[in-house]
């Protein structure tokens, strides 16, 4: 049973950019039914915006990390970085949890640098990330090092984790998800474009588009059928794209 069981959002008429996101502006009542949930859709469809709002509601830094890495919880900070966070209502079963991690591929470099800065004063910090600087590992290695050493129990909110992973490492990541999913100690919310990741057994997939947010099957996603169609006949697509 997922810890975070329901996400509520009212209709947005606040004059901000949020009301121009079709998948979000009419509000939502999103039920999370499994420990692994994928958000899919085109760039700009609202996936990352929703993930950021959830992450900030959980107390995680939007630059990446857990509650211990959030620099916005200190003295006199009263607002939110995410424009969506103030409107979200999260329902938890059986209780709210505070453990977990928010990771976005595009800002992982900054997070790795932050960990290195902390390690200057206390080198033991690196033990939680495989024993060496994340910058001394390849991008894919550092991602998997984070997954293998930091993911134990809690809610893990990940924005396009496949960005630095080869197909083989995506499979290794799916194994990490499976171990934690099976233990019942972890929940994953993942925005992704990966046709491999969304094949994870038993996952719930929500499509973000002009009609809002709706549940779908992995074979019905554009990610799956376009990738499969291309790989079945790449020459056809290339002739069309290149006019030859």
């Amino acid at each position: 049973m997922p810890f975070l069981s329901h996400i509520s959002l009212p209709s947005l008429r606040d004059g901000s950019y949020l009301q121009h996101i079709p998948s979000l502006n009419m509000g939502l009542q999103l039920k999370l039914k499994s420990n692994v949930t994928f958000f899919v859709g085109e760039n700009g469809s609202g996936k990352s915006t929703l993930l950021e709002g959830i992450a900030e509601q959980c107390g995680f830094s939007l630059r990446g990390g857990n509650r211990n890495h959030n620099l916005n919880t200190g003295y006199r900070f009263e607002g939110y970085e995410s424009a969506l966070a103030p409107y979200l209502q999260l329902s938890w079963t059986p209780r709210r949890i505070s453990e977990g991690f928010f990771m976005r591929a595009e800002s992982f470099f900054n997070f790795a640098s932050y960990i290195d800065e902390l390690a200057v004063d206390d080198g033991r910090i690196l033990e939680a990330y495989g024993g060496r600087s994340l910058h001394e590992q390849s991008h894919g290695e550092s991602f998997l090092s984070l997954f293998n050493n930091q993911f134990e129990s809690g809610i893990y909110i990940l924005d396009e984790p496949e960005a630095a992973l080869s197909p083989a490492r995506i499979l290794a990541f799916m194994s990490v998800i499976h171990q934690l999913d099976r233990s019942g100690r972890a929940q994953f919310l993942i925005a992704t474009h990966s046709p491999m990741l969304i094949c994870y057994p038993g996952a719930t997939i929500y499509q973000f588009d002009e009609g809002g947010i709706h549940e779908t099957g992995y074979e019905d996603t554009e990610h799956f059928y376009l990738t499969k169609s291309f790989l079945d006949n790449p020459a056809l697509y290339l002739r069309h794209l290149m006019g030859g």
Side-chain angles (χ1 to χ4, degrees), residues 214-235:
H214 52 92
E215 187 175 350
T216 188
Y218 77 87
E219 291 188 352
D220 296 320
T221 64
E222 182 181 50
H223 305 65
F224 179 86
Y225 67 72
L226 182 58
T227 302
K228 184 177 186 302
S229 178
F230 177 83
L231 293 177
D232 284 344
N233 194 349

Side-chain angles (χ1 to χ4, degrees), residues 30-204:
L30 202 61
K31 183 178 181 180
L32 303 180
K33 302 180 293 184
S34 57
N35 286 333
V36 182
T37 302
F38 293 112
F39 294 165
V40 300
E42 275 296 335
N43 294 331
S45 63
K47 306 184 305 298
S48 296
T49 300
L50 182 56
L51 280 190
E52 288 174 358
I54 297 169
E56 190 155 18
Q57 280 275 7
C58 291
F60 303 152
S61 170
L62 297 193
R63 294 162 184 79
N66 56 34
R67 295 178 69 90
N68 295 329
H69 303 128
N70 194 346
L71 304 180
N72 289 337
T73 58
Y75 176 62
R76 297 182 68 180
F77 182 78
E78 299 177 354
Y80 289 98
E81 281 192 278
S82 162
L84 191 67
Y87 301 106
L88 287 173
Q89 290 187 326
L90 308 183
S91 299
W92 302 84
T93 303
R95 60 179 177 82
R96 180 184 178 92
I97 61 170
S98 58
E99 298 83 12
F101 205 95
F102 175 58
M103 193 210 77
R104 53 195 312 166
E106 64 187 40
S107 61
F108 188 75
F109 179 91
N110 295 333
F111 175 76
S113 297
Y114 171 67
I115 296 301
D116 277 356
E117 291 172 8
L118 296 179
V120 171
D121 296 323
D122 186 356
R124 292 174 299 178
I125 290 174
L126 295 180
E127 294 175 6
Y129 300 92
R132 59 193 177 111
S133 168
L134 293 172
H135 282 311
E136 293 179 1
Q137 306 174 49
S138 72
H139 209 175
E141 286 176 330
S142 61
F143 270 38
L144 282 180
S145 179
L146 173 68
F147 302 151
N148 284 317
N149 292 282
Q150 281 289 304
F151 289 16
E152 295 181 357
S153 63
I155 183 166
Y156 297 98
I157 303 170
L158 312 177
D159 194 358
E160 299 183 13
E162 74 276 7
L165 300 177
S166 68
R169 292 189 187 276
I170 288 176
L171 294 176
F173 174 47
M174 292 172 73
S175 177
V176 173
I177 294 176
H178 174 65
Q179 292 172 21
L180 293 173
D181 175 20
R182 186 173 55 182
S183 75
R185 294 183 289 114
Q187 179 179 1
F188 292 85
L189 297 178
I190 305 174
T192 183
H193 293 293
S194 170
M196 294 178 66
L197 266 185
I198 60 175
C199 294
Y200 182 84
T204 303

